[in-house]
Each structure stands twice: as C-alpha cells, then as structure tokens.
Amino acid sequence: MAIAKKTVLITGSNRGIGRALVEEALKRGAKRVYAGARNAIRHPDKRVTPVTLDVTSASQIQRAATEIDTLDILINNAGVAIYDDLSNFEVIEQHLAVNFFGPLNMSRAFLPLLTRSKGAIVNNLSLAALAALPVIPAYSISKAAALNMTQSLRAILAGQGVMVHAVILGPIDTDMNRGFEIPKASPESAAAGIFDGMERGGEEIFPDAVSPIHRRGEALERQFAAFVQAPAKNPV
Ligand SMILES: NC(=O)c1ccc[n+]([C@@H]2O[C@H](COP(=O)([O-])OP(=O)(O)OC[C@H]3O[C@@H](n4cnc5c(N)ncnc54)[C@H](OP(=O)(O)O)[C@@H]3O)[C@@H](O)[C@H]2O)c1
C-alpha cells in the first residue's frame, strides 16, 4: 500500500522510531498523520493532528477512535523494554500491557474505520519476537505474543480487506537500547524501511538486513491460516 494521500495513525510518535515514522509519512505525501503520544506533541506541519493516547488506557483509545473519522493505516509502534530476569511479575505484566494488549486493543478499536477504508495495521515488532533476548525476556515474550497475534489477525481480517503487517526490526539507535553497545541502524532508515516494505506489499517486513532464514515460518503460518479462511473439508 502506498503512503501518499493516506491517513495514518502512529502510536508512540513523540520520539524514537515513532517520530521518524511521522516525518517519513509526511515526506511520502500522507494526507493526514494522527500523532499518538501519552503527552500530545506539537508539529509545524498542518497535516499532523496530535492525539493524546496511552495505549494501555481503554478510555483514551475509545476517545481517539471516536474523534478520528477516517483511517487507512494504523501503526502500533509504542513499546517498552525493561531489563529483567522474569522474577518480577509486574514487569512481565507491564510489557504485555503495552506491547501486546496495546496493539490488540488499538486494532479492535480502529477496525471499523480500517474495514471501511480496506486499510492496514502495522505492528512494530522485533527480532526478539523470533528468538528470546534473555537480557529482556519479558520484552521478548510480549513481542513473540504480538507476532503470533499479528498472524492470527492477518488471517481473521483478510476477508474484510484489512492487511496486517509485522515489522521485524533489528537494533535501532533510540532511547530504548541506549547504552547497549552493538551496531544499530538509524530510526530514519527504520521508518523508510517500514514504508518501503508496506509499499512492496510484504506481510512480514524486515527493514534491515536480516537472514532470510526467519522467513521460513511464513509457509507454516499460511497452512494454519487456511483453517479460518476456508473451512476444512475433513477436520482432524
Ligand atoms: N530500538 C530498537 O532497537 C527496536 C528494535 C526492534 C523493535 N523496536 C520497537 O520499536 C518501537 C519503538 O521503539 P523505539 O526504539 O522508538 O523506543 P523509544 O525511543 O523508547 O520510544 C518508545 C515510544 O513508545 C511510547 N510509549 C511507551 N509506553 C507507552 C504507552 N503506554 N502508551 C503510548 N505510548 C507509549 C513512548 O512514549 P513516552 O515518551 O511517553 O514514554 C515512546 O514514544 C517499539 O515497539 C519497540 O519495541 C525497537
């Protein structure tokens, strides 16, 4: 799907990859960018509409879904990553609240608008969704769950004309991994790679150079997806 002339809502748009996505969407000719953030941002471009949006708040999600009247692309970008060792239940819950239930509840709330526009949902995930990063295991669990949810939603919503993308990002130079000394891509290149992937129409978007070995799961996913897209003749 091309970004030009489209209406885009981006969560966590005040910094990092979210902010770069706002700029890249404007550069590619988006008609309107709804910039979701816990503290609404100011932007000089008149095409940007700030939206106060904590993705863990049911009331804020509902208000945003009522105020926005048309939407082509929902980008679930907001996320948290906290170092842990799985000993603190609250930390696990916090990751699931933001990184898993956030995108799920956003997708459900905006589904009527996306169905009407035959639009797209983009879930910003991570390599940690494919293989656990044990310094941030709760984060890894939440991203793995979000990837699995993305695949189910993709199959469930296919009949309504809504495309659901997973973005599998490697390390990006933002506050999230500040102090973690590994090679990182820039948020600007990540944002450009995400929209390039959307414009090419890929379901799973790998914006940076990641081994194609990760794509093998797609064949199995398609086989499973067939169960909701067309009833099996001989179940079992
Ligand atoms: N950086 C990486 O290496 C990397 C790699 C793979 C995937 N990702 C994913 O990319 C996405 C963006 O990450 P980033 O690197 O840009 O991180 P970041 O610089 O730490 O930004 C995180 C963003 O999420 C927002 N956020 C956190 N909790 C929120 C909530 N409850 N409701 C709404 N917004 C919330 C933050 O808002 P506040 O300013 O209010 O906290 C901020 O805008 C995340 O989903 C992350 O998992 C990042």
Side-chain angles (χ1 to χ4, degrees):
M1 178 184 292
I3 312 306
K5 302 196 174 80
K6 295 293 193 310
T7 306
V8 188
L9 167 58
I10 301 164
T11 65
S13 67
N14 54 312
R15 58 193 172 97
I17 299 164
R19 183 161 66 188
L21 283 165
V22 171
E23 298 309 321
E24 189 63 31
L26 294 171
K27 209 195 293 179
R28 292 184 187 223
K31 186 166 71 183
R32 174 128 325 265
V33 177
Y34 290 104
R38 289 194 280 193
N39 296 305
I41 66 158
R42 285 167 187 266
H43 198 286
D45 193 307
K46 288 196 168 53
R47 290 174 293 161
V48 177
T49 303
V51 180
T52 302
L53 192 51
D54 181 327
V55 300
T56 65
S57 164
S59 58
Q60 288 187 12
I61 292 176
Q62 208 39 60
R63 188 179 337 128
T66 309
E67 285 172 3
I68 294 173
D69 57 6
T70 175
L71 188 67
D72 296 300
I73 301 168
L74 165 64
I75 305 185
N76 287 309
N77 166 76
V80 286
I82 302 161
Y83 290 103
D84 80 311
D85 60 3
L86 295 182
S87 60
N88 186 335
F89 193 70
E90 281 176 18
V91 173
I92 301 171
E93 279 188 323
Q94 191 182 347
H95 282 91
L96 289 174
V98 180
N99 300 349
F100 175 73
F101 286 108
L104 179 58
N105 289 330
M106 286 291 295
S107 301
R108 288 165 58 102
F110 285 91
L111 189 56
L113 296 184
L114 295 169
T115 304
R116 204 192 310 148
S117 64
K118 302 268 180 274
I121 296 168
V122 181
N123 290 334
N124 196 358
L125 307 175
S126 159
L127 279 180
L130 304 174
L133 198 52
V135 288
I136 42 173
Y139 174 84
S140 303
I141 289 166
S142 68
K143 291 291 183 179
L147 174 60
N148 210 277
M149 176 262 285
T150 300
Q151 294 174 344
S152 285
L153 276 185
R154 183 181 299 146
I156 292 166
L157 301 183
Q160 296 172 55
V162 178
M163 183 85 169
V164 187
H165 301 271
V167 173
I168 311 291
L169 277 176
I172 311 297
D173 192 9
T174 67
D175 296 339
M176 186 168 275
N177 57 22
R178 196 74 67 224
F180 202 51
E181 296 311 329
I182 48 166
K184 300 169 198 170
S186 69
E188 293 74 23
S189 70
I194 290 168
F195 287 136
D196 284 347
M198 280 195 76
E199 295 192 342
R200 278 196 299 271
E203 294 173 343
E204 313 268 285
I205 299 172
F206 293 81
D208 28 28
V210 175
S211 164
I213 200 165
H214 297 304
R215 297 169 195 243
R216 281 192 200 150
E218 286 181 24
L220 184 63
E221 182 206 338
R222 255 181 252 290
Q223 199 181 325
F224 289 163
F227 288 111
V228 292
Q229 284 161 356
K233 285 190 189 122
N234 290 313
V236 185

